[in-house]
Amino acid sequence: MLQVHATGQPTDDMVIEARSNLSMSLEGLTAVFGGICVLTLLVVAWPVFMGLWPILLAALLHLAVVGWCFRAAWRGNWARERLLLDGDDLVVEQFRLGRQTRSQWPAAWARVERVPGRLGDVQVYLRCRERRLQIGAFLPVNEREELAAAVRGMLNRRSAWSGSQIIRIP
């Protein structure tokens, strides 16, 4: 999901925020896992009452593995990036679970670079001299294209480059 915040004045700060697309909230995921737990325990209840208690251990182990997989999938897909045009600098803050990075780029010399990948995939990079930073890697391809266009538009106001800010690499 991409959000652009600007006040409309050419001298004001602009913020672009890109967030990963999570199809389910944490509460929804918890409800689904709770339903799986209840259903699994209902299925094994009769065999346990008949004396086949090892099946309960297998069911609990299964639920622990499923819960761990849900947790890993949720945590692994949570990501956010914030690009802030602050005066003459472009500040990029990248948030991943457990870590946060912040880098500062001169807005006048920063460029947006699109690198096509396999099967129509596109990677978007910020580039300034030898530095290169991938942005929006967690977004779907169409949202990465929107991010590239939004950053290009944001940089156009303060750019020292003439022409387009998006470089297409064959």
Side-chain angles (χ1 to χ4, degrees):
M1 178 167 41
L2 199 63
Q3 293 179 338
V4 179
H5 308 282
T7 59
Q9 303 297 326
T11 58
D12 289 343
D13 299 343
M14 285 186 68
V15 177
I16 297 175
E17 189 168 356
R19 287 188 252 152
S20 56
N21 296 320
L22 297 174
S23 59
M24 187 181 294
S25 68
L26 186 58
E27 292 83 17
L29 185 67
T30 304
V32 168
F33 181 64
I36 290 172
C37 289
V38 167
L39 184 64
T40 302
L41 293 175
L42 284 176
V43 167
V44 301
W46 182 250
V48 168
F49 287 134
M50 297 298 292
L52 299 171
W53 62 266
I55 198 166
L56 179 62
L57 295 177
L60 292 175
L61 180 64
H62 174 265
L63 290 175
V65 169
V66 169
W68 180 81
C69 289
F70 277 177
R71 179 181 180 271
W74 176 265
R75 291 172 58 104
N77 289 323
W78 187 91
R80 183 173 60 112
E81 289 179 352
R82 187 170 175 251
L83 292 91
L84 169 67
L85 187 59
D86 184 18
D88 292 333
D89 293 325
L90 174 64
V91 178
V92 179
E93 297 173 333
Q94 295 179 319
F95 303 91
R96 304 287 190 277
L97 193 65
R99 67 184 163 115
Q100 174 183 350
T101 59
R102 178 184 167 99
S103 58
Q104 202 162 345
W105 302 71
W109 297 106
R111 295 183 290 175
V112 177
E113 179 179 275
R114 288 177 70 254
V115 179
R118 313 173 267 155
L119 305 171
D121 192 22
V122 174
Q123 297 172 348
V124 179
Y125 292 91
L126 273 179
R127 183 175 205 104
C128 182
R129 293 188 181 184
E130 304 302 320
R131 289 177 62 195
R132 189 167 104 158
L133 175 70
Q134 185 175 12
I135 56 174
F138 53 87
L139 295 173
V141 176
N142 61 332
E143 289 185 13
R144 271 186 247 153
E145 294 283 357
E146 290 177 27
L147 177 63
V151 173
R152 181 193 67 209
M154 184 169 71
L155 291 175
N156 273 342
R157 295 187 198 171
R158 298 194 173 93
S159 177
W161 294 96
S162 59
S164 175
Q165 290 295 313
I166 294 184
I167 299 171
R168 299 191 190 314
I169 298 178

